[in-house]
Amino acid sequence: MASALLWLALAVPALATPTASNTGTGQNAISRISLGPRPYWLIDHLEDGPLKSKLASCTEKHMRRSDFSIGHRGGGILEFPEETRESIMAGTRMGAGIQECDVTFTKDKQLVCRHDQCDLHTTTNVVTIPELNAKCTAPFKPASNGAKATAKCCTSDFTLAEIKTLCSKMDGSNTAALTPADYIKGTPVFRTDLYSTTTCSAVLTLKEYIKLVDGLGLKFTPELKTPVVPMPFPAGSDYTQAKYAQQMIDEFKAAGIKPERVFIQSFLYDDLLYWLKAEPKFAKQAIFLDESADTTPLSASVANLTKYAAGGVKIMGPPLPYLVTVKDGQIVPSEYAVEAKRLGLKIITWSLDRSGFLGDGSHGGYYYGSIANVTNHESDVYKLLHVLAQDVGVQGVFSDWSATVTYYANCFGIF
């Protein structure tokens, strides 16, 4: 395991720092893409065959940025805390052409980048700050008498000013912890604390994300996170779900961002319907994120695609396992993928490089659940990506480590 973290740690060179004054589109664009050793290591370990030969033929190719490569929570989160400037810069260095911010709101209704409204206890140091821990929905409680340590701290528990005092960290927690300091330890073994423990990465506001990504000359994919607290927030106020959805769009408008550069996302179909009516220019390439088959049969999700297409949705965003299955020992498109294509729906998918090690007996866990019986080595990620690109025809792939997708895109000329 130590050796795996070593090659991962070497994957990104020193990061450039955009100057605060350069806010125009592309003024801080990164001209040289650096993929590090991971894609090459994966290719070296692929079984011999046409895919390996093709990928190996591109090892000396000059790499370019690709919109096929989407930075999931920044695209550098195997090494850097998610939803931070550091992760975005790492993913951009590795060629991601589109960058994500998961959008949620604070107690004073400001928009920030957090993957979940209530993840501050696992993604920041909030529980180690007594006066802020006390404001959490559920303050830190140590492990005791066989019960696990717990905490629940939400963006809506704090003002933006309070959140700005926090340091982001690698997502994880130690449920055997007796102290807050021990609780914030718990980074998964396939990630590293090498950088997160030496730098205080601030929580980004949506405005800061827009400024950063615009300055890098990239495209945007903000996801409106489903609120954990009841809406309107607070009870009796006028901050409804619709106002929240509109506020996200308004921040892009205020920054002068053209709608064609923005791929808005949501897991709530009602958000898509709202945007289609209120913001048709932005909704033209809105993504409906679909995880319905996690709780119902995949066939039911397939049947619903007709409704979404008829309702005006143009792009679906299901997770990786919805799109592929195994037939005669080979990875092939699933019924979901076939039906989406028949209906003329475009597809993006998530999230590559998020499952730890495919060769450790887990076969990739959730993200490889529909093809687990044919995934045995980390290099099998390229077998999956090849089917997604060539047979399913996905428009883009979210990845926790952008270099993997960027390399494939460059080798096959997908930009």
Side-chain angles (χ1 to χ4, degrees), residues 343-386:
L343 292 167
L345 291 165
K346 295 179 180 180
I347 301 172
I348 61 93
T349 189
W350 44 279
S351 300
L352 221 62
D353 287 323
R354 188 160 182 80
S355 294
F357 300 105
L358 274 65
D360 67 356
S362 69
H363 300 282
Y366 171 82
Y367 291 99
Y368 292 79
S370 62
I371 57 171
N373 55 331
V374 294
T375 53
N376 299 296
H377 189 274
E378 191 75 357
S379 61
D380 289 337
V381 67
Y382 272 133
K383 294 182 183 179
L384 170 59
L385 188 55
H386 191 53

mmCIF file of all heavy atoms in Angstrom, residues 343-386:
data_model
loop_
_atom_site.group_PDB
_atom_site.id
_atom_site.type_symbol
_atom_site.label_atom_id
_atom_site.label_comp_id
_atom_site.label_asym_id
_atom_site.label_seq_id
_atom_site.Cartn_x
_atom_site.Cartn_y
_atom_site.Cartn_z
ATOM 1 N N LEU A 343 -33.592 7.136 -27.235
ATOM 2 C CA LEU A 343 -34.397 8.332 -26.994
ATOM 3 C C LEU A 343 -33.670 9.622 -27.360
ATOM 4 O O LEU A 343 -34.243 10.711 -27.269
ATOM 5 C CB LEU A 343 -34.805 8.378 -25.517
ATOM 6 C CG LEU A 343 -35.792 7.301 -25.057
ATOM 7 C CD1 LEU A 343 -35.861 7.275 -23.528
ATOM 8 C CD2 LEU A 343 -37.170 7.531 -25.657
ATOM 9 N N GLY A 344 -32.425 9.508 -27.773
ATOM 10 C CA GLY A 344 -31.664 10.695 -28.134
ATOM 11 C C GLY A 344 -31.102 11.459 -26.954
ATOM 12 O O GLY A 344 -30.710 12.620 -27.092
ATOM 13 N N LEU A 345 -31.056 10.830 -25.790
ATOM 14 C CA LEU A 345 -30.508 11.455 -24.596
ATOM 15 C C LEU A 345 -28.984 11.332 -24.581
ATOM 16 O O LEU A 345 -28.442 10.251 -24.826
ATOM 17 C CB LEU A 345 -31.073 10.801 -23.338
ATOM 18 C CG LEU A 345 -32.557 11.050 -23.052
ATOM 19 C CD1 LEU A 345 -33.069 10.061 -22.018
ATOM 20 C CD2 LEU A 345 -32.780 12.486 -22.579
ATOM 21 N N LYS A 346 -28.306 12.424 -24.291
ATOM 22 C CA LYS A 346 -26.870 12.365 -24.090
ATOM 23 C C LYS A 346 -26.595 11.884 -22.671
ATOM 24 O O LYS A 346 -27.465 11.969 -21.788
ATOM 25 C CB LYS A 346 -26.245 13.739 -24.327
ATOM 26 C CG LYS A 346 -26.367 14.230 -25.762
ATOM 27 C CD LYS A 346 -25.738 15.605 -25.922
ATOM 28 C CE LYS A 346 -25.857 16.094 -27.365
ATOM 29 N NZ LYS A 346 -25.254 17.442 -27.533
ATOM 30 N N ILE A 347 -25.373 11.396 -22.444
ATOM 31 C CA ILE A 347 -25.037 10.820 -21.143
ATOM 32 C C ILE A 347 -23.673 11.317 -20.680
ATOM 33 O O ILE A 347 -22.721 11.350 -21.459
ATOM 34 C CB ILE A 347 -24.995 9.277 -21.201
ATOM 35 C CG1 ILE A 347 -26.343 8.699 -21.635
ATOM 36 C CG2 ILE A 347 -24.589 8.701 -19.854
ATOM 37 C CD1 ILE A 347 -26.300 7.198 -21.890
ATOM 38 N N ILE A 348 -23.599 11.718 -19.418
ATOM 39 C CA ILE A 348 -22.317 11.831 -18.715
ATOM 40 C C ILE A 348 -22.392 10.828 -17.561
ATOM 41 O O ILE A 348 -23.495 10.363 -17.187
ATOM 42 C CB ILE A 348 -22.031 13.254 -18.206
ATOM 43 C CG1 ILE A 348 -23.090 13.720 -17.192
ATOM 44 C CG2 ILE A 348 -21.942 14.226 -19.371
ATOM 45 C CD1 ILE A 348 -22.719 13.442 -15.765
ATOM 46 N N THR A 349 -21.264 10.463 -16.976
ATOM 47 C CA THR A 349 -21.304 9.451 -15.915
ATOM 48 C C THR A 349 -20.250 9.732 -14.850
ATOM 49 O O THR A 349 -19.302 10.479 -15.070
ATOM 50 C CB THR A 349 -21.134 8.038 -16.500
ATOM 51 O OG1 THR A 349 -21.391 7.059 -15.488
ATOM 52 C CG2 THR A 349 -19.735 7.833 -17.077
ATOM 53 N N TRP A 350 -20.431 9.109 -13.697
ATOM 54 C CA TRP A 350 -19.586 9.334 -12.520
ATOM 55 C C TRP A 350 -19.457 8.047 -11.706
ATOM 56 O O TRP A 350 -20.344 7.211 -11.768
ATOM 57 C CB TRP A 350 -20.191 10.438 -11.648
ATOM 58 C CG TRP A 350 -21.682 10.330 -11.450
ATOM 59 C CD1 TRP A 350 -22.661 10.736 -12.305
ATOM 60 C CD2 TRP A 350 -22.372 9.746 -10.347
ATOM 61 N NE1 TRP A 350 -23.913 10.452 -11.811
ATOM 62 C CE2 TRP A 350 -23.768 9.840 -10.608
ATOM 63 C CE3 TRP A 350 -21.963 9.133 -9.151
ATOM 64 C CZ2 TRP A 350 -24.746 9.349 -9.737
ATOM 65 C CZ3 TRP A 350 -22.933 8.657 -8.277
ATOM 66 C CH2 TRP A 350 -24.308 8.770 -8.568
ATOM 67 N N SER A 351 -18.347 7.905 -10.942
ATOM 68 C CA SER A 351 -17.113 8.659 -10.960
ATOM 69 C C SER A 351 -15.964 7.669 -11.031
ATOM 70 O O SER A 351 -15.880 6.743 -10.222
ATOM 71 C CB SER A 351 -16.933 9.504 -9.708
ATOM 72 O OG SER A 351 -17.973 10.437 -9.567
ATOM 73 N N LEU A 352 -15.089 7.883 -11.992
ATOM 74 C CA LEU A 352 -13.923 7.025 -12.181
ATOM 75 C C LEU A 352 -12.881 7.326 -11.098
ATOM 76 O O LEU A 352 -12.851 8.428 -10.541
ATOM 77 C CB LEU A 352 -13.337 7.290 -13.565
ATOM 78 C CG LEU A 352 -12.852 6.072 -14.364
ATOM 79 C CD1 LEU A 352 -14.008 5.132 -14.653
ATOM 80 C CD2 LEU A 352 -12.182 6.518 -15.653
ATOM 81 N N ASP A 353 -12.020 6.359 -10.835
ATOM 82 C CA ASP A 353 -10.939 6.496 -9.851
ATOM 83 C C ASP A 353 -11.459 6.817 -8.459
ATOM 84 O O ASP A 353 -10.825 7.543 -7.685
ATOM 85 C CB ASP A 353 -9.939 7.577 -10.284
ATOM 86 C CG ASP A 353 -9.071 7.124 -11.449
ATOM 87 O OD1 ASP A 353 -8.706 5.944 -11.475
ATOM 88 O OD2 ASP A 353 -8.784 7.944 -12.330
ATOM 89 N N ARG A 354 -12.611 6.258 -8.117
ATOM 90 C CA ARG A 354 -13.211 6.547 -6.813
ATOM 91 C C ARG A 354 -13.372 5.300 -5.949
ATOM 92 O O ARG A 354 -13.872 5.378 -4.832
ATOM 93 C CB ARG A 354 -14.567 7.237 -7.015
ATOM 94 C CG ARG A 354 -15.154 7.741 -5.714
ATOM 95 C CD ARG A 354 -16.205 8.794 -5.845
ATOM 96 N NE ARG A 354 -16.647 9.223 -4.538
ATOM 97 C CZ ARG A 354 -15.989 10.081 -3.766
ATOM 98 N NH1 ARG A 354 -14.867 10.636 -4.184
ATOM 99 N NH2 ARG A 354 -16.446 10.401 -2.578
ATOM 100 N N SER A 355 -12.953 4.173 -6.427
ATOM 101 C CA SER A 355 -13.289 2.925 -5.747
ATOM 102 C C SER A 355 -12.145 2.245 -5.026
ATOM 103 O O SER A 355 -12.242 1.080 -4.687
ATOM 104 C CB SER A 355 -13.877 1.944 -6.774
ATOM 105 O OG SER A 355 -15.098 2.420 -7.260
ATOM 106 N N GLY A 356 -11.066 2.953 -4.793
ATOM 107 C CA GLY A 356 -9.954 2.263 -4.179
ATOM 108 C C GLY A 356 -9.277 1.372 -5.198
ATOM 109 O O GLY A 356 -9.198 1.707 -6.381
ATOM 110 N N PHE A 357 -8.802 0.229 -4.779
ATOM 111 C CA PHE A 357 -8.039 -0.643 -5.656
ATOM 112 C C PHE A 357 -8.900 -1.792 -6.172
ATOM 113 O O PHE A 357 -9.450 -2.572 -5.403
ATOM 114 C CB PHE A 357 -6.821 -1.184 -4.916
ATOM 115 C CG PHE A 357 -5.891 -0.096 -4.439
ATOM 116 C CD1 PHE A 357 -5.841 0.253 -3.105
ATOM 117 C CD2 PHE A 357 -5.097 0.593 -5.337
ATOM 118 C CE1 PHE A 357 -4.995 1.277 -2.668
ATOM 119 C CE2 PHE A 357 -4.256 1.617 -4.911
ATOM 120 C CZ PHE A 357 -4.202 1.954 -3.569
ATOM 121 N N LEU A 358 -8.990 -1.890 -7.487
ATOM 122 C CA LEU A 358 -9.823 -2.936 -8.079
ATOM 123 C C LEU A 358 -9.266 -4.331 -7.829
ATOM 124 O O LEU A 358 -9.993 -5.318 -7.917
ATOM 125 C CB LEU A 358 -9.961 -2.713 -9.596
ATOM 126 C CG LEU A 358 -11.078 -1.768 -10.035
ATOM 127 C CD1 LEU A 358 -10.823 -0.349 -9.559
ATOM 128 C CD2 LEU A 358 -11.226 -1.786 -11.551
ATOM 129 N N GLY A 359 -7.989 -4.430 -7.517
ATOM 130 C CA GLY A 359 -7.383 -5.736 -7.321
ATOM 131 C C GLY A 359 -7.276 -6.169 -5.881
ATOM 132 O O GLY A 359 -6.581 -7.143 -5.574
ATOM 133 N N ASP A 360 -7.954 -5.491 -4.966
ATOM 134 C CA ASP A 360 -7.808 -5.820 -3.541
ATOM 135 C C ASP A 360 -8.891 -6.763 -3.019
ATOM 136 O O ASP A 360 -9.032 -6.957 -1.820
ATOM 137 C CB ASP A 360 -7.791 -4.543 -2.697
ATOM 138 C CG ASP A 360 -9.131 -3.803 -2.708
ATOM 139 O OD1 ASP A 360 -10.046 -4.237 -3.421
ATOM 140 O OD2 ASP A 360 -9.248 -2.785 -1.998
ATOM 141 N N GLY A 361 -9.665 -7.337 -3.932
ATOM 142 C CA GLY A 361 -10.739 -8.239 -3.529
ATOM 143 C C GLY A 361 -12.101 -7.597 -3.543
ATOM 144 O O GLY A 361 -13.125 -8.289 -3.534
ATOM 145 N N SER A 362 -12.151 -6.269 -3.581
ATOM 146 C CA SER A 362 -13.437 -5.568 -3.611
ATOM 147 C C SER A 362 -13.978 -5.443 -5.031
ATOM 148 O O SER A 362 -15.148 -5.142 -5.225
ATOM 149 C CB SER A 362 -13.284 -4.156 -3.025
ATOM 150 O OG SER A 362 -12.509 -3.335 -3.882
ATOM 151 N N HIS A 363 -13.102 -5.649 -6.013
ATOM 152 C CA HIS A 363 -13.468 -5.522 -7.433
ATOM 153 C C HIS A 363 -14.069 -4.149 -7.748
ATOM 154 O O HIS A 363 -14.884 -4.017 -8.641
ATOM 155 C CB HIS A 363 -14.432 -6.633 -7.852
ATOM 156 C CG HIS A 363 -13.870 -8.005 -7.678
ATOM 157 N ND1 HIS A 363 -12.967 -8.562 -8.554
ATOM 158 C CD2 HIS A 363 -14.062 -8.932 -6.693
ATOM 159 C CE1 HIS A 363 -12.624 -9.785 -8.135
ATOM 160 N NE2 HIS A 363 -13.271 -10.028 -7.007
ATOM 161 N N GLY A 364 -13.657 -3.144 -6.984
ATOM 162 C CA GLY A 364 -14.093 -1.794 -7.281
ATOM 163 C C GLY A 364 -15.314 -1.327 -6.526
ATOM 164 O O GLY A 364 -15.707 -0.171 -6.653
ATOM 165 N N GLY A 365 -15.954 -2.196 -5.755
ATOM 166 C CA GLY A 365 -17.101 -1.776 -4.961
ATOM 167 C C GLY A 365 -18.260 -1.269 -5.795
ATOM 168 O O GLY A 365 -18.526 -1.750 -6.902
ATOM 169 N N TYR A 366 -18.958 -0.265 -5.283
ATOM 170 C CA TYR A 366 -20.195 0.235 -5.892
ATOM 171 C C TYR A 366 -20.045 0.590 -7.358
ATOM 172 O O TYR A 366 -20.872 0.210 -8.191
ATOM 173 C CB TYR A 366 -20.673 1.468 -5.116
ATOM 174 C CG TYR A 366 -21.826 2.195 -5.784
ATOM 175 C CD1 TYR A 366 -23.133 1.752 -5.637
ATOM 176 C CD2 TYR A 366 -21.595 3.317 -6.579
ATOM 177 C CE1 TYR A 366 -24.192 2.402 -6.262
ATOM 178 C CE2 TYR A 366 -22.643 3.987 -7.209
ATOM 179 C CZ TYR A 366 -23.938 3.523 -7.042
ATOM 180 O OH TYR A 366 -24.974 4.163 -7.668
ATOM 181 N N TYR A 367 -18.999 1.330 -7.700
ATOM 182 C CA TYR A 367 -18.891 1.869 -9.048
ATOM 183 C C TYR A 367 -18.621 0.804 -10.115
ATOM 184 O O TYR A 367 -18.745 1.078 -11.308
ATOM 185 C CB TYR A 367 -17.818 2.967 -9.092
ATOM 186 C CG TYR A 367 -18.259 4.193 -8.333
ATOM 187 C CD1 TYR A 367 -17.820 4.427 -7.033
ATOM 188 C CD2 TYR A 367 -19.149 5.092 -8.884
ATOM 189 C CE1 TYR A 367 -18.246 5.531 -6.325
ATOM 190 C CE2 TYR A 367 -19.585 6.204 -8.185
ATOM 191 C CZ TYR A 367 -19.132 6.418 -6.905
ATOM 192 O OH TYR A 367 -19.566 7.512 -6.203
ATOM 193 N N TYR A 368 -18.270 -0.376 -9.680
ATOM 194 C CA TYR A 368 -18.057 -1.472 -10.619
ATOM 195 C C TYR A 368 -19.012 -2.631 -10.331
ATOM 196 O O TYR A 368 -18.790 -3.758 -10.782
ATOM 197 C CB TYR A 368 -16.600 -1.952 -10.541
ATOM 198 C CG TYR A 368 -15.613 -0.940 -11.056
ATOM 199 C CD1 TYR A 368 -15.228 0.141 -10.268
ATOM 200 C CD2 TYR A 368 -15.085 -1.051 -12.332
ATOM 201 C CE1 TYR A 368 -14.330 1.093 -10.741
ATOM 202 C CE2 TYR A 368 -14.189 -0.117 -12.821
ATOM 203 C CZ TYR A 368 -13.815 0.954 -12.016
ATOM 204 O OH TYR A 368 -12.937 1.890 -12.494
ATOM 205 N N GLY A 369 -20.089 -2.333 -9.616
ATOM 206 C CA GLY A 369 -20.986 -3.383 -9.152
ATOM 207 C C GLY A 369 -21.585 -4.236 -10.252
ATOM 208 O O GLY A 369 -21.804 -5.432 -10.068
ATOM 209 N N SER A 370 -21.866 -3.648 -11.411
ATOM 210 C CA SER A 370 -22.504 -4.414 -12.497
ATOM 211 C C SER A 370 -21.508 -5.201 -13.333
ATOM 212 O O SER A 370 -21.903 -6.003 -14.189
ATOM 213 C CB SER A 370 -23.296 -3.468 -13.403
ATOM 214 O OG SER A 370 -22.447 -2.520 -14.018
ATOM 215 N N ILE A 371 -20.201 -4.998 -13.087
ATOM 216 C CA ILE A 371 -19.183 -5.729 -13.855
ATOM 217 C C ILE A 371 -18.113 -6.313 -12.934
ATOM 218 O O ILE A 371 -16.985 -6.573 -13.352
ATOM 219 C CB ILE A 371 -18.523 -4.822 -14.918
ATOM 220 C CG1 ILE A 371 -17.912 -3.577 -14.268
ATOM 221 C CG2 ILE A 371 -19.542 -4.414 -15.983
ATOM 222 C CD1 ILE A 371 -17.046 -2.749 -15.218
ATOM 223 N N ALA A 372 -18.470 -6.528 -11.669
ATOM 224 C CA ALA A 372 -17.488 -6.945 -10.665
ATOM 225 C C ALA A 372 -16.799 -8.253 -11.029
ATOM 226 O O ALA A 372 -15.628 -8.460 -10.696
ATOM 227 C CB ALA A 372 -18.160 -7.066 -9.300
ATOM 228 N N ASN A 373 -17.507 -9.147 -11.727
ATOM 229 C CA ASN A 373 -16.920 -10.457 -12.017
ATOM 230 C C ASN A 373 -15.865 -10.411 -13.119
ATOM 231 O O ASN A 373 -15.219 -11.419 -13.405
ATOM 232 C CB ASN A 373 -18.005 -11.462 -12.393
ATOM 233 C CG ASN A 373 -18.881 -10.998 -13.539
ATOM 234 O OD1 ASN A 373 -19.075 -9.806 -13.728
ATOM 235 N ND2 ASN A 373 -19.417 -11.949 -14.298
ATOM 236 N N VAL A 374 -15.649 -9.222 -13.739
ATOM 237 C CA VAL A 374 -14.602 -9.130 -14.764
ATOM 238 C C VAL A 374 -13.607 -8.009 -14.439
ATOM 239 O O VAL A 374 -12.853 -7.579 -15.300
ATOM 240 C CB VAL A 374 -15.196 -8.908 -16.177
ATOM 241 C CG1 VAL A 374 -16.006 -10.122 -16.617
ATOM 242 C CG2 VAL A 374 -16.030 -7.628 -16.238
ATOM 243 N N THR A 375 -13.594 -7.531 -13.199
ATOM 244 C CA THR A 375 -12.621 -6.517 -12.786
ATOM 245 C C THR A 375 -11.709 -7.115 -11.727
ATOM 246 O O THR A 375 -12.156 -7.464 -10.641
ATOM 247 C CB THR A 375 -13.316 -5.257 -12.228
ATOM 248 O OG1 THR A 375 -14.231 -5.637 -11.192
ATOM 249 C CG2 THR A 375 -14.067 -4.537 -13.329
ATOM 250 N N ASN A 376 -10.420 -7.222 -12.059
ATOM 251 C CA ASN A 376 -9.473 -7.870 -11.159
ATOM 252 C C ASN A 376 -8.203 -7.074 -10.925
ATOM 253 O O ASN A 376 -7.414 -7.410 -10.062
ATOM 254 C CB ASN A 376 -9.084 -9.248 -11.728
ATOM 255 C CG ASN A 376 -10.289 -10.157 -11.869
ATOM 256 O OD1 ASN A 376 -10.905 -10.523 -10.884
ATOM 257 N ND2 ASN A 376 -10.623 -10.511 -13.108
ATOM 258 N N HIS A 377 -7.995 -6.025 -11.704
ATOM 259 C CA HIS A 377 -6.789 -5.221 -11.559
ATOM 260 C C HIS A 377 -7.140 -3.768 -11.815
ATOM 261 O O HIS A 377 -8.060 -3.459 -12.562
ATOM 262 C CB HIS A 377 -5.700 -5.683 -12.539
ATOM 263 C CG HIS A 377 -4.364 -5.043 -12.286
ATOM 264 N ND1 HIS A 377 -4.017 -3.813 -12.812
ATOM 265 C CD2 HIS A 377 -3.295 -5.457 -11.550
ATOM 266 C CE1 HIS A 377 -2.794 -3.492 -12.399
ATOM 267 N NE2 HIS A 377 -2.334 -4.475 -11.646
ATOM 268 N N GLU A 378 -6.372 -2.874 -11.189
ATOM 269 C CA GLU A 378 -6.623 -1.449 -11.347
ATOM 270 C C GLU A 378 -6.652 -1.019 -12.814
ATOM 271 O O GLU A 378 -7.384 -0.112 -13.198
ATOM 272 C CB GLU A 378 -5.538 -0.665 -10.594
ATOM 273 C CG GLU A 378 -5.788 0.807 -10.443
ATOM 274 C CD GLU A 378 -6.842 1.146 -9.400
ATOM 275 O OE1 GLU A 378 -7.438 0.220 -8.824
ATOM 276 O OE2 GLU A 378 -7.064 2.342 -9.176
ATOM 277 N N SER A 379 -5.888 -1.691 -13.650
ATOM 278 C CA SER A 379 -5.833 -1.331 -15.065
ATOM 279 C C SER A 379 -7.147 -1.579 -15.793
ATOM 280 O O SER A 379 -7.377 -1.034 -16.881
ATOM 281 C CB SER A 379 -4.717 -2.112 -15.770
ATOM 282 O OG SER A 379 -4.942 -3.507 -15.683
ATOM 283 N N ASP A 380 -8.037 -2.364 -15.206
ATOM 284 C CA ASP A 380 -9.338 -2.616 -15.832
ATOM 285 C C ASP A 380 -10.179 -1.349 -15.952
ATOM 286 O O ASP A 380 -11.189 -1.332 -16.661
ATOM 287 C CB ASP A 380 -10.119 -3.675 -15.039
ATOM 288 C CG ASP A 380 -9.530 -5.068 -15.186
ATOM 289 O OD1 ASP A 380 -8.840 -5.313 -16.190
ATOM 290 O OD2 ASP A 380 -9.758 -5.911 -14.296
ATOM 291 N N VAL A 381 -9.750 -0.294 -15.288
ATOM 292 C CA VAL A 381 -10.436 0.987 -15.433
ATOM 293 C C VAL A 381 -10.470 1.414 -16.899
ATOM 294 O O VAL A 381 -11.447 2.012 -17.376
ATOM 295 C CB VAL A 381 -9.780 2.070 -14.551
ATOM 296 C CG1 VAL A 381 -8.381 2.405 -15.028
ATOM 297 C CG2 VAL A 381 -10.614 3.335 -14.525
ATOM 298 N N TYR A 382 -9.422 1.095 -17.649
ATOM 299 C CA TYR A 382 -9.394 1.479 -19.059
ATOM 300 C C TYR A 382 -10.304 0.598 -19.920
ATOM 301 O O TYR A 382 -10.804 1.050 -20.949
ATOM 302 C CB TYR A 382 -7.960 1.478 -19.588
ATOM 303 C CG TYR A 382 -7.267 2.815 -19.367
ATOM 304 C CD1 TYR A 382 -5.988 2.879 -18.834
ATOM 305 C CD2 TYR A 382 -7.902 4.015 -19.695
ATOM 306 C CE1 TYR A 382 -5.357 4.103 -18.617
ATOM 307 C CE2 TYR A 382 -7.289 5.235 -19.479
ATOM 308 C CZ TYR A 382 -6.017 5.279 -18.952
ATOM 309 O OH TYR A 382 -5.417 6.504 -18.744
ATOM 310 N N LYS A 383 -10.527 -0.623 -19.511
ATOM 311 C CA LYS A 383 -11.508 -1.450 -20.225
ATOM 312 C C LYS A 383 -12.899 -0.844 -20.093
ATOM 313 O O LYS A 383 -13.657 -0.753 -21.068
ATOM 314 C CB LYS A 383 -11.498 -2.879 -19.671
ATOM 315 C CG LYS A 383 -10.227 -3.658 -19.914
ATOM 316 C CD LYS A 383 -10.364 -5.064 -19.351
ATOM 317 C CE LYS A 383 -9.091 -5.869 -19.508
ATOM 318 N NZ LYS A 383 -9.245 -7.234 -18.914
ATOM 319 N N LEU A 384 -13.239 -0.432 -18.875
ATOM 320 C CA LEU A 384 -14.537 0.192 -18.644
ATOM 321 C C LEU A 384 -14.647 1.502 -19.411
ATOM 322 O O LEU A 384 -15.657 1.756 -20.091
ATOM 323 C CB LEU A 384 -14.732 0.436 -17.146
ATOM 324 C CG LEU A 384 -15.944 1.296 -16.743
ATOM 325 C CD1 LEU A 384 -17.242 0.674 -17.239
ATOM 326 C CD2 LEU A 384 -15.975 1.498 -15.232
ATOM 327 N N LEU A 385 -13.627 2.333 -19.314
ATOM 328 C CA LEU A 385 -13.660 3.634 -19.982
ATOM 329 C C LEU A 385 -13.799 3.475 -21.495
ATOM 330 O O LEU A 385 -14.501 4.257 -22.149
ATOM 331 C CB LEU A 385 -12.395 4.414 -19.632
ATOM 332 C CG LEU A 385 -12.326 5.873 -20.093
ATOM 333 C CD1 LEU A 385 -13.525 6.672 -19.594
ATOM 334 C CD2 LEU A 385 -11.023 6.514 -19.629
ATOM 335 N N HIS A 386 -13.160 2.474 -22.048
ATOM 336 C CA HIS A 386 -13.225 2.227 -23.493
ATOM 337 C C HIS A 386 -14.649 1.894 -23.933
ATOM 338 O O HIS A 386 -15.142 2.418 -24.939
ATOM 339 C CB HIS A 386 -12.269 1.087 -23.855
ATOM 340 C CG HIS A 386 -12.059 0.908 -25.325
ATOM 341 N ND1 HIS A 386 -11.678 1.935 -26.159
ATOM 342 C CD2 HIS A 386 -12.179 -0.198 -26.115
ATOM 343 C CE1 HIS A 386 -11.563 1.491 -27.398
ATOM 344 N NE2 HIS A 386 -11.868 0.204 -27.412
#
